[in-house]
Amino acid sequence: MLKSKSILIGVGGGIAAYKVCEVVSSLFQSGAEVRVILTETAQRFIKPLTVATLSRHQAYTDKDFWQATHSRPLHIALGEEADLFLIAPLTANTLGKLAHGLADNLLTNTVLASRCPILLAPAMNTEMWEQPIIQRNWEKLKTDPRYHGVGPGSGLLACDRIGSGRMAEPKEIINKLNSLAYTQGKRDLKGKRILITGGGTREHLDPVRFLGNPSTGKMGLALAQAASDRGGMVTFIHGAIASELLPISPDYKIIPVVTAEEMKAAVMTHSEQSDIIIMSAAVADVKPSDYANYKLPKKELPTNLKLETVVDILSKLGNAKKPHQILIGFAAQTGDIVNPALDKLKRKNLDIIVTNPIDKKGAGFGTNTNQAILIDNQGKQKIVDSCSKLELSHQLLDFIVA
Ligand code: CTP
C-alpha cells in the first residue's frame, strides 16, 4: 500500500531516533519515496548521512531551511509533496510546539505547510510522558483529525527504567502507515463497536496434545488493526496466534481463549452490544470426546480417537442476530469457493461472507497475502485480488460500510 507513496519523516532528538533508521529502510524497500527531516537535536543521535544513505535521497536539516535558493521555500515544497507524514520520535518539545501551532524550525514549519495525515510516535522517559502538561498536549493534538498516534508502549527505557514512553516498534509504525496510506486518515467506523475473532481454536486430548489447525491469526490481527485504525472500538477474541505476531497492539481490547467452547462464551458475552461481528477465527470443528488431565503415556493413547462436534459459534450468532448488527463469516475453501460460501451465507444467516481459496499460492493460512471474494446477502460480489491481509481487511471494511 506504500508503493510510490511520498512519505515524509520528521525525526526528533531522542535516542529512539536510531529505530527510525529501520523505518526509513523498510519504507524504501516497500517502494515508497522517502524524505527525511532531522531537527538540530536529532542530529546528535543520528547523522544526515545515515538516513540519506537509507532513503537514497538527501536528508534535510535546518541548515537547508535557511539556505538562500531560487526555488520554492523548502517547507512548502516538502509539505506539498507528502502523502503521509511521520514524526518519530516525537519529543516533548515538538509535541508542545505542535499542540500550540508553533513553528520555529524546518520540521514544525513543514507540518503547518502540509495537509496530509500525520502519524506521531512519541518517545520519552516515563516521568516526562506522564507529566499532566504533556498528556494535555497529546490529548489536545489528537482532537485534530489530521493527527494519528502510535504508541508509546511500555518497556525498558534508555534511562534504565521499565515504564511507559517507549517508542512504538518499527513494525507497528509501518503497519499504521500502511493503514493510513489506504484510508488517508478517514475514521468512518468511529463510534461503532466491532467484535472480531481470529487465530485457531484448539481441542485438547491431554495437556500436551490437541486437535487444531494451521491458522496463525494474521488475518484476524489485520482486521482488528484496520477496524481500530478507522476509529472502531474493537474487541479481539483470539485462539492460537503465531509467536512472532506477539505482543498484540494495545489499541484494542484483547481476549485470549483456547477452545471453541471458550470462544463461544467470550463471543456471546460481547456480541449483544456489537454493531459489526467478524468471525475470522479458524474454529476446530471437532473435539476429542475424552480429555485426560495428565499427560497420557504412549501406551495409553487411543488408536481410534473418538470425536464429537463442537458448537458452531457463527450459526448461534446468526440465530440471535439483532436488526442493527452486521454479521460476517469467513469460508476457507478448496476448489469451488463460491457455491459452498453461498450455502454458508444462507445457512448461518450472515450479511456478508468472505470466501478465500486455501489451495492457491500466497493465500490462506500463515501467508502475508490473501485473496478473496466478498459476497453479501443481496448477491453483490466483490473480487479482491491477491494483496496484503491488511489491504483485504480495509477492502472488507469498505464493503461493510457500503
Ligand atoms: N465457525 C464457527 N464455529 C465453528 C466452525 C466455524 O463459528 N464451530 C465459523 C468460522 O469462524 C467461519 C465460518 O464459521 O467464519 C465458516 O467456517 P467453516 O468451517 O468453513 O464452516 P462449516 O459450516 O463448518 O462448513 P464446512 O462444512 O465446509 O466445514
Side-chain angles (χ1 to χ4, degrees), residues 279 281 283-285 310-314 329-330 344 347-348:
M279 271 299 293
V283 186
D285 290 315
V310 301
V311 57
D312 190 318
I313 307 167
L314 193 55
F330 268 68
K344 285 172 203 185
R347 185 159 41 90
K348 303 195 186 197

Side-chain angles (χ1 to χ4, degrees), residues 216-237:
T216 55
K218 276 184 188 164
M219 192 65 235
L221 282 167
L223 282 162
Q225 192 211 320
S228 142
D229 289 347
R230 289 164 78 141
M233 288 176 281
V234 174
T235 300
F236 183 52
I237 300 173

Side-chain angles (χ1 to χ4, degrees), residues 15 24-25 49 54 65 73 77 97 123 127 146 161 168 235 244 247 256 261 302 318 328 330 370:
I15 183 58
V24 173
S25 173
L49 179 64
L54 295 171
F65 186 39
K97 287 187 220 170
E127 309 301 347
R146 238 197 122 183
R161 258 193 75 160
T235 300
E244 72 269 17
E261 198 53 44
I328 298 106
F330 268 68
N370 210 350

